[in-house]
Amino acid sequence: MKDLVGLFPYWAVIVLMMTGLYIVIAQGNLVKKLIGLGIFQVSVFVLYIAIGVVDGGTPPILDDAFSVYSNPLPSVLILTAIVVGVATLAVGLALAVRIREAFGTVEEEDLLPLTGPDQPAVTDLEREARS
Amino acid sequence: MTQHELMLAAVLLPFATALLIIICGRFPNLREAVTLVGAGGLALIVFKLISSFDATTATPLVLAEILPGFRVMLRAEPIGLVFAGVAAGLWGLNSLYSIGYMRAEHAPRQTRFYACFAVALGSAMAIALAGNLATLFVAYEALTFATYPLVVHWQTEGAIAGARRYLAYLLATSLVPFFGAIVWTWIATGTLDFTPGGILDGKMDDGLLAILLFMFAYGVGKAALMPMHGWLPAAMVAPTPVSALLHAVAVVKAGVFTLLKIAVYIFGIEVIGRGVGDLLVVVAAASVIAASLIAMTKDDLKARLAYSTVAQLAMVTLAVALGEPIAIAAGILQLVMHAWGKITLFFGAGAIQLATHKKKLSEIAGIGAKVPLLMIAFLFGSLSVAGLPPFGGMWPKFLLLEASVDRHMVVLTVCLGLSTLLTLGYLVPIFIQAFFRKPHDEDPHHLPEKDEHHHEEGSLPVLALIPPVVTAAGCVVLFIAAPAILGFVAPVIGLGVLP
Amino acid sequence: MTLLPASILAHAPVLVVVLPLLTAPVIALIRDGRIAAPLAMIIAWVDVVIAFALLNQTWDGTVVSYALGNWSAPIGIEYRVDLLSAGLAVLLTVSGGLVSLMMATGIAPEMAPGDRSRLYAAFLLCLAGLLGIVITGDLFNVFVFLEISSLSTYVLIASGSSRDRRALTAAFDYLILGATGATFFVIGIAFLYVVTGTLNMADLGDRLPMAGKRAVIVGSSFLFVGIALKAAMLPLHRWLPNAYAYSPTVMATFLAMTATKVSIYLMIRLADVVFHTPGELGRVNFAALMPPVGLAMLVFGSAIAITARDLKRLLAFSSIANLGLMLVALGLGGVAGIAAALINLFNHAIIKGGMFATASAIMHRRGSTQLAAMAGLSRQMPAAFAFLVIGGLALIGVPLTAGFVSKLSVVRVAVDLGDWVVAGGILFSSLLTVAYIWRIFEATMLAEPAKDAPAGDMHPAFWLPVGLLGAGTVVFGIYSAPIVELSTRIALQMAGGTP
């Protein structure tokens, strides 16, 4: 019981992590995949913040009244990771938009037959001519 | 020039020739003059190397170090010089013949042909003068790749398939067992240098040595030990001068030469003789007989000659496996004699095809009257390959018999005798067919066959006639010269008194 | 010898990364590709000089430590350059430099003019990210740079979309996999940080033995999976073939030379963390996993390459096979194993870079790298064909090419350890290599050329990069000392000895 409550953030991390990864793997829609990826990454953010916490510590702001602080470093790190996550999401969504333009779909099952190695190459020019 | 310079020149000259050939590609006459000058120059250099050879002053020439201990280096020694002499001597004749043959056939891509020919000869020189197993391997692979464009020359579907087989066999054997055996030897002994007396004695036990010997025997695919002989008939898709090069001068001889070198300088003759090679003796003897029998069934002249080569090469492997100085001597002589004999036969087969457009034994009845000189040269070659006096081919057969008697291998003695008969059995019918049978169109039992491709009578260019006549004469000269060759190599193989 | 003034040299570790990182946005803003391309090229070559200065500085075993922003190690980020980092930095910058030479010309048939300067920016960002990975001493910083390089790689791949829309899906697939892998990597970092309290890779190795077992096992497993994905380790290889096949060919050249190499770097750098001798801590022994997985990649990659119809795809699968060889060498371990892995890493970058650069030249001239579209190449683009031959022979591992040195170095370690399965597997796989390389040769040399094929050999812009890489393939195959020496020194330093 102590584990369940005391380690609550970690349980949450596990649930989030598995949810995110499952969506990435199981969903056929590219946008949903990206959402899953986002959840997966968020779980790691939570993990980092959780490991920085020190029992009974205060937020890491220097003050004579306190002597035990939480570790600020993981939080700092995760700021960077958040930026990275946002950038990844942005590139991913941009790609999804371009895929929608080029193939007319973002569903994996529709894309697969169009993207095999033996399919003819479709260039920008041909695409414009067709539309 | 010093010995080092001569060795370097012998290896580099053919490559330089190849380069010049490519540059002169637009001017056929100039291009072919370059080939001939290159061949002549190489023969001179090799002659100089042989005549100035002195075992006491021979030092290695290190060219590069690919990995620490894995050096590329040249070193002259008698067996290698014998091989170099054979290859350099026959290149000129083969070039003459090539010019006659390729022009008569109006063959395409002749520049590539002559250039690759030169590169192949340069690789053969490097094999001959290799100072260690590493260098030999390097040159061996170079030879494989240089001959591929020659084999595929006609670029028909059949040629492409045949060349594929050629490459597949040679690379499969050299890249797996041969290379593996080299690295194994390297790790076990710490060196790959050719050392008189061998480097392996005492480094591993005899059972492993026997396995290693097998890895070498089958790794050197160019030696065409059955069942790794499949590339040889497949390579018959090449133009005939190439077949002559592959099956008489460069490729197959490089194979058996490699085996001889490995026996003498890596294993040591005595090590093999104490039982390590016994299983290989059986395999090689079986290969001799089997290949001879197959040769008898072949109607296509070149295929017949190809299987004959398989049988004759297996005799060198046999010589290696016997592990007796006298057997090694037989192997070296076989290398020389078979080269001259077999090139005569290939020149002959190609010339027959030029003169009559016939490729098959069953078609050549009665052609003797048309090309008498050629067919007599052919007969000389046949008798030399079979091992009859007064032709050079007698010596190796004789010495092998002696070695088999020395080692009390009765079955082997019988096999060797049988093989001579079989050889006569598959070569002499060609001669008989040509001289003593009536041509088909005069023979009422045969309906004249319509030949779609060649309506007009062929003609035999004089350039395609001289080389076989010269090599046939050479077979006789070699009968006399054989003791001199033996004397040259005797010190390194521990042959005290000449037989 | 100093390549740079002391004031610049003192900041070299950070300069080499920051220079392309900061100039990338500027280049993205320059609309005109004709200005942006030379600028990017200059930056890339300045980086080459800096990298060589670093190599020069660390050659004798010196470790250069640079506190970023003058914040010392526990709080700030330490850039730590040892010989391994400097060697990789040279590889990366030289790759970048060579690609930058042909970038502007090579991209022409594959991308609209207006978008090109942004591509050059992404290229510089990618270079900066990869350099950051090898220069930094901080594990989290590795992750950040990994993401910088990955994000720009997605862009590079997707840029191929105007020629083939599948570039988009290839980029997307890689994004999903790459981001997942990177997240695994961060999770691994979290675990290791929790138990050691440090992110400095040098300290991490020291503190791990005192850390709790289970956390370390979990952490290193996550790290390993993250790296393995970037290294395209079977079965996490799926992103690689499409990424190479559909990205613009010049960029595929850059990726083939660098991207996966950096993952191998991470494996070596984190050897203490992700691999360890079994037993000691009960850690998962990933090193034992390497030889079988590597062998599987060798066989699988080569086998699939045989079936490929596009040169770029074929080369991509060949890359998987070659990565397998590096993993095998890493798994065999020891100084010799790591040295062999590094020899492979450097040589493969040169060989495969040369092949892809040639493919770029072909793509530029013909608008396709389909094997079927390359008929008659040997006549119409003889220079390009010659470089394909050199590269192809090197991939097979023919002696006197860099590929032979690579293969020999791994086989030697395997035989030395008595690991016959690995040695045999490597040798066998070279036969598969022959098969796929020969498909290129037959397609370019033997097939009848199309009548309307565009005339002309390689565009002059390709001569320098293609020529240098081709020359490197041959030179480092004969005079292998620079690469062998560098790799051996690095391996010794990693093993704790002095180079």
Side-chain angles (χ1 to χ4, degrees), chain C residues 489 492-493 496-499:
Chain C
R489 274 171 177 253
L492 277 170
Q493 195 178 33
T498 44

Side-chain angles (χ1 to χ4, degrees), chain C residues 3-17:
Chain C
L3 289 169
L4 293 172
S7 53
I8 295 182
L9 193 60
H11 296 286
V14 69
L15 268 181
V16 74
V17 181

Side-chain angles (χ1 to χ4, degrees), chain C residues 138 189 231 316 402 417:
Chain C
D138 180 281
I189 295 174
L417 295 173

Side-chain angles (χ1 to χ4, degrees), chain C residues 126-197:
Chain C
C126 188
L127 179 63
L130 295 170
L131 280 167
I133 296 173
V134 300
I135 297 288
T136 187
D138 180 281
L139 195 52
F140 197 83
N141 212 224
V142 169
F143 160 72
V144 175
F145 280 120
L146 195 67
E147 281 297 42
I148 292 180
S149 69
S150 300
L151 283 169
S152 39
T153 306
Y154 309 145
V155 176
L156 291 181
I157 298 168
S159 306
S161 66
S162 37
R163 180 177 53 82
D164 190 331
R165 60 180 178 176
R166 280 170 290 184
L168 296 170
T169 45
F172 190 88
D173 288 347
Y174 185 25
L175 181 135
I176 294 290
L177 279 173
T180 312
T183 311
F184 269 71
F185 194 79
V186 202
I187 298 172
I189 295 174
F191 276 91
L192 295 178
Y193 177 67
V194 166
V195 289
T196 61

